[in-house]
Amino acid sequence: MSVDTVSLTGWGRTAPTTAVRFRPRTHEEAAAAVRGRGPRGVIARGLGRSPGDAAQNAGGSVLDLTGLARIGGVDAAGAVRCDAGVSLERLLRVLLPLGWLPPVVPGTGRVTVGGAIASDLPGLDHRRSGSFARHLSALELLTADGEVRTVLPGTALFDATAGGLGLTGVILGATLRLRRVPTALMSVSTERAEDLDDLLARFTAGGDRLPYASAWIDLMARGRAAGRGILTRGEHATPDMRPAHAGRTLLSPRSGGARGRFRLPGCPPVPGGLFGPAPAALYNEVRYRGAPRARTGELRPVGAFFHAADAYPDANLLYGRGGLVRYRFTVGYGQEETLHRVVRRIAGRRGPAVRAVLQRFGAADPGGLSFAAPGWSLALDLPAALPGLARFLDDVDEEVAAAGGRVCLAKDSRMRPEAAAAMYPGLAGFQELRARLDPTEAFRSDLSRRLGL
């Protein structure tokens, strides 16, 4: 097991802190690192794709689990056991040629299985499938005493670990129930919406006939165009939909990745960020006008549909040296006016928002700190150095909380502890269970200290 001292951040590159990093290759090495932890505790880390500080531990220890990356065989029932350090991108490449898909596919493949469980990630079909942990048969958890437990769904420990941000223990592996798919292609529909009301109406039209859906919103547009966007929906293509030249590529590993990757080789962060308000508004205008008014039946590879953002792995460098803040919140159905107000406030502030994604969520998942709940979810990125951003988002927090909504803890890098307590009614129960299971607070992170979790 290698050990070094490093400065770490989340993908948003805000608030770097220094920790001792352990890189275990076996469960025994991971257990030894937990038993030998210092007074500042330990937290697990995967690929570092959380935008905030959930996988940092200032002055303490961090367990880099990417060395635990074994994938077992798929059994007759369509289940697979894999280590926590396996990326969803690799899992997709391995499973897709066999006709299987991970149970929930989020918007990036560059996250580990352990990270997907600890964040209880939702996918584009949450209304049908729920979040990631709902599809586990079991998980293996290394607890504060250095022992490895098999934790089953329906138990209090399982519900606390799903979405628990690594604070109940180190997730070492899990057994996933997979989804059978007919091809490695998606049949995709795209349509433009003129404003937010139009976009919400298009989302709900036709129910869930096409299970996967998300929309890009132009948060720079104001007036009657506020909230305009591009809605993209998809379903798994059947063999009869394939083009004549597809042949053997229907379940090819090459069909599982994003369409190429645009990398900025050796590129340091742009000092002031690439996008100011005027360039961002122009970019959004071109993107909106360049989308089809309505198109159906476009065939795309599975990976290109789900993980289009992974084609730009260095996009976080474009927000300036201060990094980016990802703000993701959800408000319930019936609270659309709150969503309208937040969109108008962001547009009126003229923050250079070029990434903004709207989704619909279904039934809440049982995890005490799981983010997804019935309603609308909006995620956006803003430069962290934007003047007045902290106060502005504090005000938005209050509006979201007043509407019964919540901000995603796994993405957070700046929320105040009183806001988190107001948004998550299950927090007290989570803290009580954690105090019983881990009275010495072996598992800690910068996020857990900041929010008092």
Side-chain angles (χ1 to χ4, degrees), residues 37-55:
R37 65 188 178 273
R40 296 283 286 180
V42 62
I43 195 71
R45 182 180 178 92
L47 292 170
R49 294 293 290 191
S50 171
D53 51 3

Side-chain angles (χ1 to χ4, degrees), residues 20-404:
V20 177
R21 177 175 58 184
F22 294 84
R23 290 175 163 171
R25 294 285 178 179
T26 65
H27 290 188
E28 292 74 20
E29 289 183 349
V34 168
R35 285 192 290 265
R37 65 188 178 273
R40 296 283 286 180
V42 62
I43 195 71
R45 182 180 178 92
L47 292 170
R49 294 293 290 191
S50 171
D53 51 3
Q56 296 171 224
N57 185 22
S61 301
V62 168
L63 250 61
D64 181 333
L65 296 182
T66 54
L68 298 177
R70 294 165 297 180
I71 302 174
V74 180
D75 67 19
V80 64
R81 191 268 168 203
C82 56
D83 284 346
V86 174
S87 74
L88 297 189
E89 180 181 48
R90 179 169 165 242
L91 196 61
L92 189 66
R93 287 201 310 269
V94 169
L95 295 176
L96 200 55
L98 305 176
W100 298 101
L101 198 68
V104 167
V105 186
T108 176
R110 305 193 68 179
V111 62
T112 61
V113 168
I117 298 168
S119 303
D120 202 12
L121 288 179
L124 299 184
D125 66 337
H126 186 272
R127 283 173 57 83
R128 284 194 182 185
S129 299
S131 296
F132 197 87
R134 189 181 294 186
H135 302 272
L136 304 184
S137 299
L139 61 85
E140 297 146 36
L141 187 70
L142 173 61
T143 51
D145 55 9
E147 299 299 319
V148 178
R149 304 187 187 190
T150 298
V151 185
L152 301 179
T155 63
L157 181 54
F158 185 96
D159 290 346
T161 301
L165 305 168
L167 298 175
T168 61
V170 178
I171 300 166
L172 295 175
T175 301
L176 316 180
R177 297 189 299 274
L178 305 175
R179 174 177 301 170
R180 174 68 80 175
V181 293
T183 72
L185 298 173
M186 303 293 295
S187 177
V188 181
S189 298
T190 306
E191 52 191 302
R192 271 185 0 208
E194 296 179 352
D195 56 31
L196 186 55
D197 280 329
D198 186 24
L199 183 58
L200 299 184
R202 290 173 184 270
F203 246 115
T204 55
D208 295 321
R209 185 182 64 82
L210 299 179
Y212 302 101
S214 68
W216 169 81
I217 294 187
D218 181 1
L219 290 179
M220 303 293 292
R222 294 185 288 182
R224 287 184 295 178
R228 69 182 182 179
I230 304 166
L231 174 61
T232 303
R233 291 185 281 195
E235 61 182 335
H236 293 285
T238 55
D240 60 289
M241 297 178 181
R242 71 187 186 274
H245 65 273
R248 298 179 182 176
T249 66
L250 286 176
L251 290 171
S252 165
R254 294 184 179 182
S255 300
R259 292 180 188 169
R261 291 189 175 174
F262 175 73
R263 184 174 291 277
L264 305 173
C267 177
V270 181
L274 183 65
F275 290 112
L282 177 61
Y283 171 88
N284 284 8
E285 181 73 21
V286 170
R287 180 171 181 177
Y288 179 76
R289 297 294 175 190
R293 290 187 178 275
R295 180 174 62 197
T296 60
E298 178 195 7
L299 294 181
R300 297 185 197 173
V302 164
F305 176 77
F306 287 107
H307 300 154
D310 289 350
Y312 306 93
D314 298 323
N316 59 338
L317 300 180
L318 302 179
Y319 288 82
R321 287 186 178 142
L324 67 90
V325 169
R326 178 161 296 170
Y327 189 74
R328 187 176 194 184
F329 69 93
T330 184
V331 291
Y333 298 118
Q335 294 293 333
E336 285 79 6
E337 182 51 39
T338 300
L339 181 62
H340 273 275
R341 285 197 301 270
V342 172
V343 167
R344 288 194 299 266
R345 289 180 67 173
I346 295 169
R349 201 177 186 281
R350 302 298 286 167
V354 295
R355 182 196 177 275
V357 179
L358 182 70
Q359 288 181 243
R360 293 175 77 200
F361 285 159
D365 293 287
L369 299 186
S370 290
F371 167 64
W376 301 97
S377 166
L378 178 61
L380 61 139
D381 292 347
L382 290 168
L386 205 61
L389 180 62
R391 177 59 187 165
F392 175 77
L393 292 180
D394 283 347
D395 291 343
V396 178
D397 285 348
E398 292 178 5
E399 188 154 9
V400 168

